[in-house]
Amino acid sequence: MTASQSGSDPHLLLAQALAPANRVDPYPVYQQLREHGPLHLPEVNLMVLTSFAHCDAVLRHPASASDRDKSTIAQRQIAEGKQPRPFGLAGLVDQRRTPAFLFLDPPDHTRLRKLVVKAFAPRVISAMQDEITAVVDGLLDTAQRNGEFDAVTGLAYPLAVAVICRLLGVPVEDEPQFGHASTLLGQTVDPFLAATGKPEGFHERIEAGKWLRSYFRDLIQRRRRDPGDDLISALIAVEESGDQLTEDEIISTCNLLLIAGHESTVSLITTAILVMLRDRAQWTALGADRHRAGRVVEETLRFDPPAQLLGRIAAEDIVLPDVTVPKGDTMIVLLAAGHRDPAANERPDEFDPDRKVIRHLGFGHGTHFCLGAALVRLEASIALSAVTARFPDARLGGEPVYKPNVTLRGISSLPVRI
């Protein structure tokens, strides 16, 4: 069923927006949802928010919680003696695990972020610039010899894997298996809204998550014995007033960085390549002036963000313009719809890095603003300025193939001829 066929029924529109078959272009459905206004499904304690103003307000609101156990549904399950079902499949990997601080609220979140942010100092990110440039140049050398490349497998994916492995201290020989497992893990953050049944590839994702946790556990033990110049060693060593991260906290943090950094970087770079190759003037302009890269990155984050939605819980009644979210309701904050809100951005359906103001929430906002935002921006800027300068006559070699992911929407294949 297409968006037009679903008419104005908001339940059908929501189903279409979340359907894997709609990944190629979900924006017509997002527009209809946004024009409908806040969508409340009281039978499942769910509120879907699609305007930029509502998305921004929820992410800023002090009662907007990330702890899933604060939801009405979770509290009902706890009262019945059941294990609360997580928002996404990620929680099914190991229900006994320590949650990443993405799913925690203050004071627990404050404590963990304060410790982890020390290992993400600007000097650490800046020190990676030369290495990122070298990786990109090597990948483009290969592309030039072949006369073509895939924007995912030939550039964005190997770059993101190389950087995250370097950051975490993963040995080079483990990169292929590590990269495969991290890609599967990125699929576990999609909303698990079906009342029954499990999505295709469910068990493979669960096993990948378990393998990664086991891998990180072994790597942490190695770094305790022999510290290196990497993030895991830094997380082991970091301390604040006698407080340190536990092993489970380090593992959960690494998993979070994988999902937020690896998948988002691949999607951002590939999407930017696609939209610029569809608009040759933008490709040419960046190739001639690498200083445009920052604007291209920000406009891509607005126009077609890697993170299409975020989940939050109303820890108390949240009063927003034109709607009140009842305490305990789960909120789906549909960022991709909000970014195309004409009240926030003029000509929202146009890709225009030269627009005067680029308003987006691509890295979240407030307490949970993405820790790795600076690294993602750096990787994307280097890759995009290099590929456009090296291959001024590049063109699409075929149409993009999209992953089924809803939350972290991205392309799995994009052939480019040079």
Side-chain angles (χ1 to χ4, degrees):
M1 182 190 300
T2 65
S4 60
Q5 290 172 327
S6 65
S8 59
D9 186 324
H11 294 76
L12 290 178
L13 286 172
L14 179 60
Q16 284 297 102
L18 300 178
N22 203 39
R23 295 284 62 75
V24 173
D25 184 12
Y27 290 98
V29 182
Y30 291 168
Q31 179 180 343
Q32 291 186 53
L33 277 171
R34 190 176 60 247
E35 290 173 351
H36 174 276
L39 172 60
H40 191 206
L41 282 66
E43 66 275 15
V44 290
N45 301 102
L46 177 67
M47 182 77 75
V48 182
L49 300 161
T50 52
S51 74
F52 187 92
H54 283 158
C55 292
D56 185 51
V58 166
L59 296 184
R60 292 173 182 268
H61 202 287
S64 181
S66 294
D67 184 351
R68 308 301 183 202
D69 287 351
K70 293 180 180 178
S71 70
T72 297
I73 291 178
Q75 288 300 309
R76 188 181 303 133
Q77 292 169 339
I78 291 172
E80 295 172 352
K82 299 177 182 178
Q83 177 75 27
R85 189 167 65 187
F87 174 76
L89 294 171
L92 300 180
V93 172
D94 183 355
Q95 294 185 354
R96 298 166 299 174
R97 84 197 197 292
T98 300
F101 54 88
L102 180 66
F103 301 106
L104 294 175
D105 296 319
D108 293 327
H109 174 271
T110 305
R111 168 189 163 265
L112 288 178
R113 188 175 176 105
K114 190 175 182 180
L115 291 170
V116 173
V117 75
K118 288 188 170 186
F120 258 88
R123 60 176 176 77
V124 176
I125 305 303
S126 297
M128 299 190 71
Q129 182 167 346
D130 290 344
E131 188 165 352
I132 293 170
T133 300
V135 172
V136 169
D137 287 344
L139 292 168
L140 297 184
D141 287 345
T142 300
Q144 190 158 17
R145 287 193 297 270
N146 294 335
E148 61 183 3
F149 69 100
D150 189 289
V152 178
T153 60
L155 178 59
Y157 176 82
L159 170 62
V161 170
V163 171
I164 199 70
C165 285
R166 169 64 183 86
L167 188 69
L168 294 174
V170 173
V172 174
E173 60 270 19
D174 294 340
E175 286 189 14
Q177 188 173 4
F178 183 87
H180 176 68
S182 64
T183 297
L184 290 172
L185 189 66
Q187 300 171 6
T188 65
V189 296
D190 283 350
F192 192 28
L193 299 177
T196 59
K198 295 175 182 176
E200 184 179 350
F202 172 84
H203 293 292
E204 188 180 13
R205 301 178 204 177
I206 297 302
E207 290 305 311
K210 290 180 178 178
W211 180 87
L212 275 170
R213 290 184 63 78
S214 176
Y215 181 89
F216 280 134
R217 202 174 296 280
D218 291 342
L219 188 57
I220 289 168
Q221 294 306 316
R222 280 186 272 168
R223 291 294 175 262
R224 288 193 193 279
R225 295 190 301 267
D226 183 20
D229 181 23
D230 56 72
L231 184 60
I232 287 180
S233 297
L235 292 175
I236 292 170
V238 74
E239 187 172 359
E240 177 77 21
S241 302
D243 188 16
Q244 290 183 303
L245 293 163
T246 67
E247 183 174 276
D248 279 345
E249 288 170 342
I250 293 174
I251 292 172
S252 292
T253 299
C254 289
N255 279 340
L256 169 62
L257 296 176
L258 269 181
I259 295 173
H262 170 258
E263 284 292 303
S264 296
T265 303
V266 173
S267 179
L268 176 60
I269 293 172
T270 310
T271 299
I273 289 174
L274 173 63
V275 295
M276 286 192 294
L277 285 177
R278 284 176 169 171
D279 184 350
R280 297 293 314 180
Q282 297 296 342
W283 184 271
T284 301
L286 178 55
D289 180 8
R290 62 182 178 84
H291 295 102
R292 289 177 56 84
R295 301 285 297 181
V296 169
V297 168
E298 298 308 310
E299 176 66 348
T300 304
L301 287 165
R302 182 204 68 81
F303 181 75
D304 198 357
Q308 299 264 293
L309 61 88
L310 295 174
R312 293 290 187 268
I313 307 297
E316 60 185 49
D317 287 354
I318 295 179
V319 180
L320 303 172
D322 304 319
V323 67
T324 296
V325 183
K327 178 181 178 180
D329 266 19
T330 296
M331 297 175 285
I332 290 183
V333 183
L334 199 51
L335 303 180
H339 290 179
R340 299 282 187 105
D341 187 343
N345 291 289
E346 296 181 354
R347 299 171 288 104
D349 294 321
E350 294 181 25
F351 180 80
D352 181 12
D354 294 314
R355 63 177 67 245
K356 292 181 180 179
V357 178
I358 301 175
R359 301 186 68 192
H360 72 78
L361 301 165
F363 290 119
H365 195 85
T367 303
H368 289 283
F369 184 80
C370 178
L371 267 176
L375 180 59
V376 173
R377 282 172 164 140
L378 180 63
E379 287 181 68
S381 293
I382 291 174
L384 294 172
S385 58
V387 71
T388 52
R390 177 81 74 98
F391 306 129
D393 298 321
R395 62 192 187 281
L396 289 174
E399 289 301 308
V401 177
Y402 281 85
K403 301 175 185 177
N405 304 26
V406 175
T407 304
L408 293 176
R409 177 171 173 265
I411 297 169
S412 61
S413 178
L414 180 66
V416 179
R417 295 174 183 170
I418 58 178

